[in-house]
Amino acid sequence: MASIDDFRIESHNLLMELDAATMRMMMLVSARCVSGPDWDAASKRQHDAYESWDKFINFPSGAMPSNAPFTN
């Protein structure tokens, strides 16, 4: 099992990306830019960040070998 510090570091990294992706979308909303290529890219980034976080946090307990790094 990976250490709690490994979990915390990876969790922090994934949440930082999710927060940044969500903030980008909110900036586009404020700029009234909710369609087009910029919106599509921001939406995909936010979706991917959420999927990575969900996959990480819902990983089956004990299923990861101790020498495997956390991945998204």
Side-chain angles (χ1 to χ4, degrees):
M1 188 75 161
S3 75
I4 190 68
D5 288 335
D6 293 338
F7 176 85
R8 291 177 65 200
I9 290 167
E10 186 63 18
S11 176
H12 177 75
N13 290 338
L14 291 169
L15 285 173
M16 292 283 291
E17 173 58 19
L18 180 55
D19 185 51
T22 302
M23 288 293 293
R24 175 67 180 145
M25 287 186 74
M26 295 302 101
M27 289 172 61
L28 289 171
V29 169
S30 295
R32 298 180 181 166
C33 178
V34 292
S35 63
D38 288 341
W39 178 259
D40 292 342
S43 179
K44 181 178 180 347
R45 178 183 177 195
Q46 200 278 340
H47 176 268
D48 292 347
Y50 175 80
E51 288 289 320
S52 294
W53 166 249
D54 185 60
K55 181 180 174 184
F56 172 77
I57 202 67
N58 289 307
F59 198 86
S61 178
M64 186 174 291
S66 63
N67 63 346
F70 290 110
T71 59
N72 53 1

